[in-house]
Amino acid sequence: MNNLPHKIPRKALFAFTILLLTFIPIIKADQYLAGIDCQNATTYDPNSTYSTNLQTLLSVLSSNSNASNGLYNFTAGSSPPDVAYGLFLCQGDLTAAACQDCVNWASTNIVARCPRSKRVTIWYDYCLLRYSNVSMFSVVDTKGEIILASTYDVSNATRLSEVLGQVMYDVADRALSNHSGKKFATEEANYSALQKVYSLAQCTPDLSYSDCNGCLRRAVSRLKNTRIGSRVLYPSCYVRFEMAPFYNISFDAAPPPPSPVLPSPPSTTTPSSPGNGRISPQVIIAIAVSIGVAVMLSMAGFCLLTRRAKKKKYNSLREDIGGDDISAVQSLQYDLGTLQAATNNFSYDNKIGQGGYGPVYKGLLPNGQEVAVKRLSETSGQGALEFKNEVILAWLGSLELIKLRQIQVELLEPLVTCLQNI
Ligand SMILES: *[C@@H]1O[C@H](CO)[C@@H](O)[C@H](O)[C@H]1NC(C)=O
Ligand SMILES: *[C@@H]1O[C@H](CO)[C@@H](O)[C@H](O)[C@H]1NC(C)=O
Ligand SMILES: *[C@@H]1O[C@H](CO)[C@@H](O)[C@H](O)[C@H]1NC(C)=O
Ligand SMILES: *[C@@H]1O[C@H](CO)[C@@H](O)[C@H](O)[C@H]1NC(C)=O
Ligand SMILES: *[C@@H]1O[C@H](CO)[C@@H](O)[C@H](O)[C@H]1NC(C)=O
Ligand SMILES: *[C@@H]1O[C@H](CO)[C@@H](O)[C@H](O)[C@H]1NC(C)=O
Ligand SMILES: *[C@@H]1O[C@H](CO)[C@@H](O)[C@H](O)[C@H]1NC(C)=O
Ligand SMILES: *[C@@H]1O[C@H](CO)[C@@H](O)[C@H](O)[C@H]1NC(C)=O
Ligand SMILES: *[C@@H]1O[C@H](CO)[C@@H](O)[C@H](O)[C@H]1NC(C)=O
């Protein structure tokens, strides 16, 4: 067992290539839930008029999801107690097709997420959808606040709050004074010589100037400004910052391109098109880039592995699995309960990356083993409880590399040194 570390390199490199190819999100296949607000106090009967109106509302929203400005509202029914009001809003830089995908996904899933609730707001990464038995148009709503933040602290919190103090208020001002039909803006700022902060602010365009202003200012003040990324979601507005691009950089005619090492996330550059067999040139480029990145990451993984192998022996891993080194990174099936416990119920905080088939979470098994859990996405057609979950027993330090594309330029430095020595 003690000789394990000496055997790692070649096989591990191979295993890593496979692992990373699995994880690299070549095409975004799904919409990821960012938050949901179910007002369970107000419920409706499945046979009621409200229920019928709600079905109508959702199908109308869905069929108008190509709306040119990314917002659409509709009122279904006419007799007051049973009227269903609803709207959707897409992130301002989405193409009509990407908006349509997000809204279609939201409208087919929202009711199952909050059965019988009359008032629901659901946020996916790139769109929100709401319905209620009370009119919501042109009314500012900051209830049902959702705050998301990366688990990772930024290296210099003083610097980040300095940057955010400027850029978040700028971007909010630009969003609310934008008369293009969308109250939306994005902005980049320098955090260090190598890293940028990418920011976004958006209101539903039906709000007045002062309502939008109030909503955005409140949202900005609630961001977690010591983390490498955070967002605040309200039914009426949305702010977000990350240290990697998460919107279409070329959309706002603004600043220079991002660091060439890290391609922007496919979620914004290659909108999903499930059930659509054509492969566009962008997808081919995305695949090529992904493979390139995968190879680079594999080499980086190799470096990390060898680096760590000097320090640590993988006894527990060996005992858990047996077999050769490649099986040490093979997938295992665990029951859902164990994985829910291990990953704190798949909390956003435990999410370490986004694989081609679903998000990847960091978990801690009862025996103290750190694992990465890949959760297959909803498009595989399974219900929430039947999610097929996979655990990849691996060195989390290496799996963090998946995240590398999204965040950690800093992590690159020791790796580059190592790569030069290969
Ligand atoms: C709802 O409708 C179903 C069939 O359409 C019927 O069996 C059921 O009794 C109804 N429930 C109520 C509460 O009316
Ligand atoms: C949206 O799609 C519908 C059919 O799905 C079509 O009738 C309508 O013209 C489209 N609207 C726009 C703005 O493309
Ligand atoms: C959409 O909202 C506006 C107010 O912002 C309202 O005047 C309009 O009637 C709504 N549209 C529908 C279809 O309900
Ligand atoms: C909305 O539904 C709740 C609970 O069913 C009800 O108390 C309230 O009066 C309804 N509001 C309107 C405007 O119909
Ligand atoms: C509302 O109902 C949904 C679905 O039944 C449930 O998942 C959620 O926890 C409930 N929320 C509250 C605040 O009770
Ligand atoms: C953190 O940022 C502040 C403000 O820009 C700067 O003065 C300080 O030197 C930085 N600290 C480190 C350790 O880089
Ligand atoms: C950010 O840094 C780049 C070079 O690293 C520089 O060209 C650019 O002007 C800086 N932007 C701001 C807003 O300071
Ligand atoms: C990004 O925005 C530009 C400018 O609006 C547009 O031409 C391009 O198609 C967009 N790209 C994607 C992937 O949405
Ligand atoms: C206003 O929004 C449009 C997109 O809807 C964007 O292209 C433009 O740059 C924005 N203007 C400002 C001043 O931010």
Side-chain angles (χ1 to χ4, degrees):
M1 215 173 277
N2 283 351
N3 64 357
L4 180 59
H6 305 297
K7 286 167 54 191
I8 281 178
R10 203 181 306 137
K11 284 181 174 180
L13 185 56
F14 172 63
F16 245 98
T17 311
I18 292 182
L19 192 64
L20 288 165
L21 283 174
T22 313
F23 278 126
I24 301 296
I26 291 174
I27 301 168
K28 185 168 173 290
D30 195 2
Q31 308 296 334
Y32 291 103
L33 188 66
I36 186 159
D37 178 31
C38 302
Q39 304 266 321
N40 293 350
T42 56
T43 56
Y44 63 87
D45 192 291
N47 288 1
S48 64
T49 318
Y50 186 80
S51 176
T52 317
N53 287 340
L54 181 56
Q55 292 311 318
T56 311
L57 170 71
L58 291 174
S59 87
V60 170
L61 290 180
S62 182
S63 59
N64 285 281
S65 54
N66 54 359
S68 59
N69 66 350
L71 173 92
Y72 191 82
N73 62 325
F74 189 71
T75 306
S78 50
S79 45
D82 296 315
V83 179
Y85 303 88
L87 63 77
F88 68 75
L89 176 70
C90 286
Q91 185 170 300
D93 59 333
L94 289 202
T95 60
C99 177
Q100 205 162 2
D101 283 340
C102 191
V103 172
N104 286 344
W105 181 262
S107 55
T108 48
N109 286 282
I110 189 167
V111 172
R113 291 275 185 182
C114 271
R116 299 190 175 210
S117 175
K118 272 189 183 173
R119 298 178 200 169
V120 181
T121 305
I122 195 163
W123 293 264
Y124 285 91
D125 273 354
Y126 299 106
C127 68
L128 78 80
L129 192 144
R130 319 170 54 186
Y131 56 76
S132 172
N133 71 330
V134 179
S135 175
M136 64 188 72
F137 310 133
S138 310
V139 177
V140 66
D141 185 348
T142 52
K143 294 190 287 290
E145 172 184 75
I146 308 267
I147 301 177
L148 302 174
S150 165
T151 30
Y152 294 86
D153 283 322
V154 75
S155 57
N156 187 341
T158 320
R159 176 65 190 148
L160 184 63
S161 35
E162 195 177 280
V163 173
L164 291 178
Q166 177 84 52
V167 74
M168 291 313 305
Y169 289 100
D170 275 0
V171 80
D173 280 346
R174 285 180 45 224
L176 73 114
S177 54
N178 195 325
H179 301 296
S180 69
K182 298 177 186 180
K183 288 191 159 61
F184 168 76
T186 60
E187 194 164 316
E188 294 165 33
N190 291 338
Y191 167 81
S192 69
L194 284 176
Q195 285 178 294
K196 285 183 179 195
V197 172
Y198 299 83
S199 68
L200 177 153
Q202 183 168 22
C203 285
T204 59
D206 56 337
L207 294 190
S208 68
Y209 181 95
S210 66
D211 284 345
C212 175
N213 189 23
C215 187
L216 288 178
R217 270 161 205 283
R218 179 172 171 157
V220 166
S221 71
R222 307 282 288 161
L223 282 168
K224 297 261 183 272
N225 64 1
T226 58
R227 305 290 175 80
I228 59 174
S230 175
R231 35 186 152 158
V232 176
L233 312 170
Y234 291 127
S236 286
C237 72
Y238 157 53
V239 299
R240 179 174 182 183
F241 77 87
E242 303 283 346
M243 301 197 64
F246 59 94
Y247 50 79
N248 182 351
I249 300 285
S250 53
F251 189 83
D252 247 358
S259 146
V261 182
L262 305 172
S264 58
S267 45
T268 44
T269 54
T270 54
S272 58
S273 47
N276 174 344
R278 283 170 293 130
I279 297 181
S280 67
Q282 288 98 319
V283 171
I284 293 172
I285 292 169
I287 290 172
V289 169
S290 299
I291 290 174
V293 170
V295 170
M296 279 170 47
L297 289 184
S298 302
M299 290 172 69
F302 168 76
C303 272
L304 258 196
L305 269 181
T306 47
R307 208 158 58 97
R308 291 188 133 216
K310 288 175 195 143
K311 291 189 276 185
K312 202 174 165 189
K313 303 201 160 71
Y314 300 98
N315 294 343
S316 61
L317 201 56
R318 188 76 173 177
E319 280 157 16
D320 279 0
I321 304 172
D324 65 20
D325 301 326
I326 288 176
S327 73
V329 281
Q330 83 187 2
S331 309
L332 294 184
Q333 296 273 324
Y334 275 69
D335 71 274
L336 184 65
T338 309
L339 297 183
Q340 276 177 328
T343 58
N344 197 9
N345 202 13
F346 299 105
S347 81
Y348 181 88
D349 281 352
N350 284 41
K351 190 164 156 183
I352 56 172
Q354 187 67 70
Y357 304 102
V360 181
Y361 298 84
K362 179 158 92 171
L364 197 60
L365 291 176
N367 68 1
Q369 167 99 56
E370 275 195 322
V371 293
V373 179
K374 185 170 69 175
R375 187 171 196 187
L376 296 189
S377 57
E378 285 179 297
T379 36
S380 49
Q382 293 153 318
L385 290 175
E386 295 157 325
F387 271 159
K388 183 168 169 251
N389 296 283
E390 282 185 292
V391 179
I392 290 121
L393 291 168
W395 302 275
L396 267 182
S398 323
L399 277 170
E400 303 285 23
L401 285 170
I402 298 153
K403 259 212 124 174
L404 192 143
R405 313 176 62 233
Q406 285 192 320
I407 348 150
Q408 293 284 35
V409 175
E410 282 164 21
L411 227 175
L412 275 174
E413 288 171 16
L415 288 175
V416 168
T417 321
C418 167
L419 285 172
Q420 284 165 346
N421 296 332
I422 282 187

